[in-house]
């Protein structure tokens, strides 16, 4: 006789009401998407209208800063702008993934979960949030559970480009190897990724591998090494579309006050659509609301939408103020003044959920005398610590700026090797391994020293 058992699983979760869901959706939008959304509100809801005069227009001129990236250089005879390439990559990359959903045999619920996971991917194509966090930060009525999300992730990991949706580098490389024609080299490469990834570039690797896997010859191991090295560590890299971002309307600005010199934060009017309640209709509803339930519902919807707009403004402005406070040196000295700043830390300081801050950062831009930057530019983990082990460390973008300045000032006949740059950074108290310097140099699109060398 088969015994049946009942297991209870307790999980603390937060149910989002309609107003909260609407606010989060509006917060996630770019200024262009928001403008289109507001147009649909005006067309659908007679209780909403545009004001005759912009109440936010104080008559003072708004600061104008070029959308060109402050660090621009020539690479392969093409002018490239790092940050805007990344912005274009991010938009086109996610769009490409969303379009692939209909190409796979997914039912409606599965497709919805995959769409959700795509929005959680970072700019490099990795899924940094745990499935548990995604479930717990989703509305209760979506009825998500980790098993369903795990299934959705397996589907997403079958999308192109290979490696997308991985939780870390190792998983991304294994996903890419799984699509290779199986042979001894591929099987060996899988073992290298699983057991020897930190040592993948070492010349002594074949000897280490043969001790653990004697079935592979030195030639096979070397071929597997080369195969792993040829894989893409960043699934989203280089996937910008044909229409690159040429110009965006920034959402907020930071500038020094012309009188006091103190840095201040403000909002660009064009990035924030002006819409208000139609007062005439509102007054009529107050008097005859019981006789027009449809319009009363429209009034409630209009109030929710306007509240979402105000919440979006408040959150993005508070975020910009936090960036000004934490990254003050950037606005005086440029990228070299950036310090590590995380979404988690910012969320705690603002008293918001991490997912809320992540949505606020999405596709929002800040203009300042240094140029126009995605808000994400100001967030990064510590890339290195000084020899004095200071608590804040140094951000990845600050380290990149230092590497860029070293290359700009090097003798072109005797360019600096990655080890030489590591040594020079150490003289400044920044302890960074040679391979880390090489990684940042590659992300900056600078070739190695022997390729930068110029004849006298």
């Amino acid at each position: 006789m088969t015994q049946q058992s009942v297991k209870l699983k307790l999980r603390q979760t937060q149910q989002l009401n309609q107003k909260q869901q609407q606010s989060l959706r509006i917060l996630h939008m770019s200024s262009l998407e928001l403008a289109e959304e507001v147009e649909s509100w005006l067309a659908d809801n007679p209780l909403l209208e545009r004001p005759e005069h912009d109440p936010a227009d104080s008559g003072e001129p708004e600061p104008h800063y070029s959308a060109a990236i402050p660090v621009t250089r020539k690479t392969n005879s093409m002018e490239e702008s790092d940050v805007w390439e990344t912005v274009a990559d991010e938009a086109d990359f996610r769009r490409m993934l969303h379009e692939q959903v209909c190409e796979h045999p997914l039912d409606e619920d599965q497709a919805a979960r995959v769409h959700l996971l795509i929005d959680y991917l970072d700019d490099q194509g990795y899924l940094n949030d745990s499935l548990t966090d995604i479930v717990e930060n989703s509305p209760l009525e979506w009825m998500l559970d980790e098993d369903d999300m795990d299934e959705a992730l397996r589907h997403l990991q079958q999308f192109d480009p290979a490696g997308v949706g991985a939780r870390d580098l190792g998983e991304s490389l294994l996903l890419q190897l799984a699509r290779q024609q199986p042979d001894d080299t591929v099987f060996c490469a899988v073992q290298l990724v699983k057991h020897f990834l930190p040592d993948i570039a070492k010349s002594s690797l074949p000897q280490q591998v043969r001790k653990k896997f004697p079935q592979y010859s030195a030639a096979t191991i070397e071929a597997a090494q080369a195969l792993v090295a040829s894989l893409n560590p960043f699934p989203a890299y280089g996937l910008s579309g044909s229409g690159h971002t040429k110009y965006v309307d920034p959402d907020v600005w930071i500038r020094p006050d012309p009188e006091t010199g103190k840095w201040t934060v403000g909002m660009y009017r064009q990035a924030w659509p002006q819409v208000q309640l139609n007062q005439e209709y509102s007054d009529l509803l107050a008097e005859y609301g019981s006789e027009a339930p449809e319009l009363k519902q429209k009034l409630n919807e209009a109030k929710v939408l306007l509240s979402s707009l105000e919440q979006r403004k408040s959150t993005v402005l508070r975020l910009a103020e936090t960036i000004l406070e934490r990254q003050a040196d950037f606005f005086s000295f440029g990228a070299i003044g950036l310090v590590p700043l995380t979404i988690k830390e910012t969320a705690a300081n603002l008293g918001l959920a991490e997912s809320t801050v992540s949505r606020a950062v999405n596709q929002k831009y800040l203009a300042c005398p240094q140029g126009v930057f995605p808000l994400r530019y100001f967030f990064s983990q510590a890339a290195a610590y000084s020899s004095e082990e200071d608590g804040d460390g140094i951000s990845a973008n600050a380290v990149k700026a230092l590497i860029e300045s070293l290359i700009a000032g090097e003798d072109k006949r005797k360019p600096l090797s990655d080890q030489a740059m590591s040594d020079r950074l150490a003289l400044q108290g920044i302890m960074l391994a040679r391979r880390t310097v090489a990684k940042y140099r590659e992300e900056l699109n600078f070739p190695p020293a022997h390729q930068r060398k110029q004849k006298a």
Side-chain angles (χ1 to χ4, degrees):
M1 182 175 178
T2 303
Q3 284 189 332
Q4 294 182 339
S5 61
V6 177
K7 294 182 179 180
L8 295 178
K9 182 179 180 182
L10 296 178
R11 187 182 75 196
Q12 186 176 19
T13 185
Q14 180 182 20
Q15 183 174 1
L16 301 181
N17 59 35
Q18 180 186 4
K19 182 177 179 180
Q20 291 172 318
Q21 293 178 46
Q22 179 71 28
S23 293
L24 290 176
R25 192 174 73 86
I26 297 303
L27 183 61
H28 190 74
M29 292 179 176
S30 67
S31 59
L32 180 60
E33 292 169 337
L34 180 63
E36 294 173 351
E37 180 77 5
V38 169
E39 287 297 330
S40 70
W41 296 352
L42 293 168
D44 179 66
N45 196 323
L47 272 298
L48 292 173
E49 66 178 7
R50 292 194 183 280
E52 293 183 8
H53 302 286
D54 187 346
D57 189 354
S58 62
E60 297 181 4
E62 295 179 313
H64 176 74
Y65 299 112
S66 171
I69 278 307
V71 179
T72 304
R73 59 180 173 274
K74 298 280 186 177
T75 305
N76 296 331
S77 301
M78 294 179 63
E79 192 165 330
E80 296 184 350
S81 301
D82 287 357
V83 178
W84 296 123
E85 289 295 330
T86 303
V87 172
D89 288 352
E90 178 183 353
D92 291 340
F93 172 65
R94 289 195 175 86
R95 185 184 307 115
M96 183 188 74
L97 291 174
H98 283 301
E99 290 172 352
Q100 286 184 60
V101 173
C102 62
E103 301 172 6
H104 292 259
L106 306 174
D107 61 34
E108 186 176 345
D109 290 336
Q110 290 172 331
R113 296 181 196 117
V114 172
H115 280 301
L116 176 64
L117 288 176
I118 291 171
D119 288 334
Y120 270 94
L121 296 179
D122 69 12
D123 298 346
Q124 296 175 342
Y126 285 98
L127 183 67
N128 292 321
D129 296 86
S130 71
L131 296 181
T132 301
D133 288 341
I134 293 173
V135 169
E136 291 183 352
N137 282 289
S138 298
L140 187 62
E141 57 267 29
W142 290 4
M143 300 179 65
L144 300 180
D145 63 49
E146 290 184 44
D147 290 338
D148 288 339
M149 295 307 296
D150 185 64
E151 178 190 43
L153 181 58
R154 291 198 299 272
H155 287 302
L156 175 59
Q157 290 175 345
Q158 300 305 311
F159 285 24
D160 291 324
V164 70
R167 271 70 65 90
D168 54 42
L169 174 61
E171 185 177 20
S172 179
L173 296 176
L174 291 175
L175 289 170
Q176 295 175 58
L177 289 171
R179 301 198 191 185
Q180 302 278 338
Q181 190 68 28
D183 57 23
D184 283 348
T185 300
V186 173
F187 295 146
C188 181
V190 169
Q191 299 304 330
L192 296 188
V193 172
K194 287 182 176 180
H195 302 283
F196 301 95
L197 188 56
D199 304 318
I200 201 70
K202 291 184 178 179
S203 58
S204 60
L205 182 64
Q207 291 84 356
Q208 298 179 49
V209 176
R210 294 205 69 185
K211 291 179 182 178
K212 188 175 183 67
F213 300 101
Q215 67 269 33
Y216 296 121
S217 66
T220 299
I221 296 170
E222 290 175 1
Q225 240 181 316
L227 174 58
V228 174
S230 70
L231 300 176
N232 189 355
F234 307 112
Y237 180 77
L239 291 176
S240 59
S242 57
H244 286 220
T245 302
K246 299 298 182 182
Y247 180 79
V248 295
D249 286 329
D251 301 85
V252 291
W253 50 259
I254 290 179
R255 66 174 178 182
D257 185 278
E259 295 181 2
T260 65
K262 183 179 178 181
W263 290 93
T264 57
V265 177
M267 309 178 75
Y268 281 103
R269 292 185 293 274
Q270 75 274 11
W272 304 91
Q274 296 302 314
V275 61
Q276 65 183 18
L277 283 176
N278 183 304
Q279 196 59 49
E280 183 179 352
Y281 283 173
S282 298
D283 292 342
L284 286 173
L285 277 173
E287 187 174 354
Y288 305 105
S290 59
E291 301 175 14
E294 296 85 359
L295 282 178
K296 190 172 183 179
Q297 181 180 354
K298 288 292 184 182
L299 177 61
N300 292 333
E301 291 176 0
K303 289 180 178 179
V304 169
L305 296 175
L306 293 177
S307 175
S308 300
L309 277 181
E310 289 303 315
Q311 187 67 35
R312 184 182 194 271
K313 288 182 182 180
S314 173
T315 303
V316 174
L317 188 59
R318 290 176 66 200
L319 188 56
E321 290 170 345
T322 298
I323 289 173
L324 174 58
E325 178 184 351
R326 289 300 312 277
Q327 304 289 11
D329 286 346
F330 168 84
F331 299 102
S332 298
F333 308 111
I336 198 171
L338 287 169
V339 299
L341 180 63
T342 64
I343 295 289
K344 181 176 182 180
E345 174 189 355
T346 303
N349 289 339
L350 294 178
L352 300 171
E354 289 182 50
S355 57
T356 300
V357 175
S358 182
R359 286 179 171 92
V361 168
N362 179 63
Q363 299 185 77
K364 312 296 189 305
Y365 305 95
L366 183 153
C368 61
Q370 286 77 15
V372 180
F373 298 84
L375 292 189
R376 287 191 184 277
Y377 177 79
F378 299 95
F379 293 86
S380 67
Q381 300 278 357
Y385 289 90
S386 73
S387 54
E388 286 79 23
E389 296 290 334
D390 62 78
D392 289 335
I394 301 139
S395 80
N397 286 328
V399 171
K400 288 180 183 179
L402 288 171
I403 292 173
E404 191 158 30
S405 67
L406 287 174
I407 293 176
E410 70 185 0
D411 184 344
K412 303 305 178 185
R413 295 169 298 179
K414 296 179 180 180
L416 297 169
S417 67
D418 295 333
Q419 185 60 56
M421 286 190 281
S422 176
D423 293 341
R424 293 204 179 188
L425 290 172
L427 292 175
Q428 301 180 46
I430 301 170
M431 316 310 293
L432 214 61
R434 180 202 59 79
R435 62 177 177 231
T436 306
V437 172
K439 182 186 78 168
Y440 288 148
R441 172 183 54 73
E442 291 170 359
E443 290 178 6
L444 288 166
N445 290 327
F446 284 115
H450 71 276
Q451 294 182 16
R452 301 198 309 272
K453 186 175 182 179
Q454 297 178 4
K455 294 181 180 179

